[in-house]
Amino acid sequence: MPYKEYFEAASEGLIVVNRGGFIVEVNRQAERLFGYSSEELVGQRVEVLFPTGFHERHRKHVENYFAAPRTRAMGIGLSLVGRRKDGSEFPIEIGLTYAGETSRGDLVVAAVTDISQRLALEREARRAETVISLGTFAAGIAHDLNNPLQVIRSRAELVLESPPSTPASELNEDLATIHRQAERASRIIEGFLELSRQRDKAVALLDINQLVENTLLLIGEQMRKDGINVRTELDRSLAQVNGDATALERVLVNLLSNARDAMPQGGQVTIESREVGESPGWLHLIIADSGPGISPDALKRIFELLYTTKPSGTGLGLWMSRRIIQEHNGRIEVESEPGRGTTFTIKLPAAETSDQHD
Ligand SMILES: Nc1ncnc2c1ncn2[C@@H]1O[C@H](COP(=O)(O)OP(=O)(O)OP(=O)(O)O)[C@@H](O)[C@H]1O
Ligand SMILES: [Mg+2]
């Protein structure tokens, strides 16, 4: 096939430009892309194909190119904007190939591709990704709200079903729980709003024993009703941690709910807090249950997003818990063997006290 036929058959718009920046030849595809006829283009400066804002940059580009053309002999990809005869603009990519000294002078062949379709596809892919992460986000909110809502519902049922002779003090206790849970739900929503605003979290100095006690106020009663005996071994001399109380309580609620789910016939949960001698400055919070344990294969996967073995589980609990602990510069570890229960250990760095700086 002679050169001219290759030139016309190319799927890119081909524009041959000389050292002075003048168009020497264009193929049909280039005429189509830019809406000019070949006669209109040949002899014009190549800048006619770019929006005015690009002219200066483009002129420099041509100069630089011819100053050292061989370094780019294979052509380079550039994201640029083209301008049609009717003034409309479109995104293009240009590959440059140096044709060398020819009988018609020192020439470069610019291969122009209209990339509007590709960019539209890329935009669509990014949009789809955003939709997916929004879905995960929404599932996270749903998961976290479910806990307080369940408690509110069951407590409200207790109140509704209680006989008229029930003393007010007993009802008040249920109402206080409902109130606390409703507040918790609002805090969760605030937390997520905060997250979506990408503001700093509510970090404060916290006593992790206090966190355990608050969490037990929230769900301890329910666990007892489900036949779970919760025992605490809290070291009262522990240093404080820097953290977000709502987020850390969320982790504890997740771990305790998992223990409860694992022991439908009831069982033991021990919550222990301590500072470990061999790693000073680190506080350990250990949550151990006497449930059925986890098989080695499942153990590798429990922190994965959406991994669940429960018919109505979402598989968000441990994934979110680990994320929260990592945000606190801590670690969460698990040990489990079938038949020997499951132990989660949360390791958090102690907050530096002012006397350590002195
Ligand atoms: N204490 C435990 N004992 C036995 N298995 C556990 C325990 N904790 C977690 N698992 C296993 O790990 C899986 C993942 O737990 P995770 O908390 O991430 O999700 P989930 O509890 O299934 O659902 P949810 O999103 O409602 O929390 C559980 O489905 C369960 O199989
Ligand atoms: Mg869970």
Side-chain angles (χ1 to χ4, degrees), residues 143 258 262 289 294 302 307-310 313-318 342:
H143 173 265
N258 280 349
D289 68 56
I294 305 171
I302 55 170
Y307 174 79
T308 180
T309 57
K310 301 172 195 172
T314 59
L316 282 167
L318 287 177
T342 302

Side-chain angles (χ1 to χ4, degrees), residues 32-314:
R32 234 175 271 137
L33 275 180
F34 290 94
Y36 287 99
S37 70
S38 162
E39 293 73 41
E40 286 174 304
L41 285 177
V42 172
Q44 295 260 21
R45 288 202 60 91
V46 70
E47 280 86 24
V48 69
L49 301 176
F50 299 97
T52 335
F54 282 84
H55 286 185
E56 192 47 36
R57 206 187 323 164
H58 192 265
R59 215 183 303 262
K60 283 216 181 73
H61 202 82
V62 173
E63 256 168 48
N64 291 342
Y65 187 81
F66 277 104
R70 273 168 195 84
T71 59
R72 298 177 200 167
M74 301 299 292
I76 53 161
L78 292 166
S79 279
L80 290 168
V81 180
R83 199 173 90 121
R84 299 190 188 91
K85 185 180 177 184
D86 65 12
S88 60
E89 297 178 4
F90 62 111
I92 56 176
E93 197 170 67
I94 303 182
L96 295 177
T97 307
Y98 183 55
E101 304 266 3
T102 69
S103 54
R104 294 189 291 172
D106 209 1
L107 299 180
V108 61
V109 181
V112 180
T113 315
D114 180 346
I115 57 170
S116 20
Q117 213 169 354
R118 194 181 79 203
L119 290 185
L121 284 176
E122 283 172 6
R123 248 194 318 276
E124 181 54 35
R126 270 197 303 275
R127 203 189 65 85
E129 244 170 62
T130 312
V131 169
I132 289 170
S133 46
L134 278 179
T136 311
F137 196 65
I141 300 177
H143 173 265
D144 277 16
L145 282 179
N146 215 22
N147 282 317
L149 286 179
Q150 267 171 8
V151 179
I152 288 173
R153 196 176 58 189
S154 64
R155 284 300 177 113
E157 277 165 12
L158 278 181
V159 173
L160 289 172
E161 286 161 10
S162 57
S165 57
T166 311
S169 60
E170 223 171 88
L171 293 178
N172 275 345
E173 200 190 300
D174 287 323
L175 289 177
T177 305
I178 290 174
H179 184 240
R180 248 193 331 264
Q181 293 291 342
E183 278 192 330
R184 178 177 175 75
S186 330
R187 267 187 293 149
I188 289 168
I189 291 178
E190 271 164 29
F192 273 103
L193 288 177
E194 198 80 22
L195 209 81
S196 64
R197 279 191 222 109
Q198 308 236 312
R199 278 223 228 100
D200 285 345
K201 312 252 164 54
V203 174
L205 272 181
L206 306 170
D207 173 357
I208 58 174
N209 296 323
Q210 189 70 52
L211 287 179
V212 171
E213 277 158 1
N214 288 349
T215 308
L216 287 178
L217 278 178
L218 293 175
I219 60 167
E221 180 62 16
Q222 191 59 48
M223 291 191 68
R224 211 175 49 78
K225 286 198 181 124
D226 292 336
I228 316 277
N229 176 29
V230 183
R231 200 164 54 88
T232 54
E233 279 175 36
L234 305 176
D235 176 349
R236 296 290 166 187
S237 67
L238 278 187
Q240 291 182 300
V241 296
N242 264 317
D244 177 342
T246 309
L248 291 173
E249 278 176 33
R250 202 179 296 168
V251 173
L252 288 177
V253 169
N254 279 328
L255 295 180
L256 292 173
S257 316
N258 280 349
R260 183 204 52 207
D261 294 346
M263 304 185 288
Q265 318 294 339
Q268 267 284 338
V269 171
T270 310
I271 308 176
E272 188 189 344
S273 69
R274 60 188 171 118
E275 192 171 349
V276 184
E278 59 265 29
S279 49
W282 285 86
L283 310 182
H284 289 200
L285 191 59
I286 301 155
I287 291 132
D289 68 56
S290 62
I294 305 171
S295 74
D297 279 343
L299 201 58
K300 288 191 206 118
R301 304 197 51 199
I302 55 170
F303 289 104
E304 283 176 18
L305 179 61
L306 306 183
Y307 174 79
T308 180
T309 57
K310 301 172 195 172
S312 62
T314 59

